[in-house]
Amino acid sequence: MYTEAQPFEIMSLFSDEGERKYLNSKERKRFWRSRKIIADKSERTFVELIFFTGCRISEALQLVVMRVNVEDSFVVFRTLKQHGEHKGKRFRIVYLPRNFMRRLNRVHNILKTQLDEAADQYRRLWTFGRQKGWRLIKAVMKKAKIFGIRATPKGLRHTFGVNSILRGAPLISLQVWMGHQSLKTTSIYLKVMGAEDRAFAKRTWKI
């Protein structure tokens, strides 16, 4: 059964056998195209949210209407992996593409609910459990022909971290977005050889 790793267990982006834990750029594109295998629009937005934010399944499932800001295009997650006195008490903002936010609003009636005084502002966007969330992501991975240790929700989380760093995100910002308690945990994403590293490597090969 799938269990999310504790922070000290994710200090490498490769398994003990050297298997990559994150999706490369081609796999990431295949995953995005393959998400359409999920016919239910509400369930599809769940997968898309994890793809865009790198949040944990448990954090996505706790997202409620009042923590979605449609106008400024961000969501507020309750960070669930903090330890000690701060466990479950910290929140973080993660921004989303506006076209996805419009879709999220349309599918889940967010603005309509927020403007209705009598509506439940603590209504969760998704009411299914962790196991179904896991199965949805695995189904998309299978359709995209992505297998192994990276074909998991944690694989999408690592992919978000890697992609953010390769696109120039500051490490301290990524720490906030991912809800890491320690910057040391976030720093694992600096170790990935991406397109820029390959370009530098090519220069060193020239004679």
Side-chain angles (χ1 to χ4, degrees), residues 71 128 148 167 203:
E71 293 180 352
F128 52 79
R167 292 175 182 268
R203 294 176 195 173

Side-chain angles (χ1 to χ4, degrees), residues 3-4 6 30 39 43 54 65-66 71-72 119 125-126 129 143 163 166 168 172 177 184 192 194 196 200 203:
T3 57
E4 291 183 320
Q6 298 298 320
R30 293 208 307 271
E43 294 176 356
V65 169
M66 69 168 293
E71 293 180 352
D72 293 323
L125 273 62
W126 301 280
K143 175 66 175 179
N163 189 59
L166 292 181
I172 191 68
W177 299 340
K184 184 177 180 181
V192 176
E196 291 184 8
F200 285 128
R203 294 176 195 173

Side-chain angles (χ1 to χ4, degrees), residues 155-174:
L156 280 184
R157 183 165 169 78
H158 283 317
T159 302
F160 173 79
V162 168
N163 189 59
S164 297
I165 288 296
L166 292 181
R167 292 175 182 268
L171 192 63
I172 191 68
S173 296
L174 183 58

Side-chain angles (χ1 to χ4, degrees), residues 5 35 37 49 51 54 63 65 71 76 83 87 98 109-111 126 129-130 133-134 144 146 156 166 172 201-202:
R35 80 195 192 285
I37 193 176
L49 180 80
F51 177 86
L63 187 63
V65 169
E71 293 180 352
V76 179
H83 299 280
K87 186 175 182 179
R98 290 195 177 276
N109 295 315
I110 293 169
L111 276 178
W126 301 280
R130 286 162 54 95
W134 166 266
I146 302 169
L156 280 184
L166 292 181
I172 191 68
K202 288 181 180 179

Side-chain angles (χ1 to χ4, degrees), residues 45-55 60 63 77 96 100 126:
T45 59
F46 171 82
V47 172
E48 292 172 338
L49 180 80
I50 294 181
F51 177 86
F52 280 127
T53 66
C55 72
L63 187 63
F77 289 120
L96 290 163
F100 170 65
W126 301 280

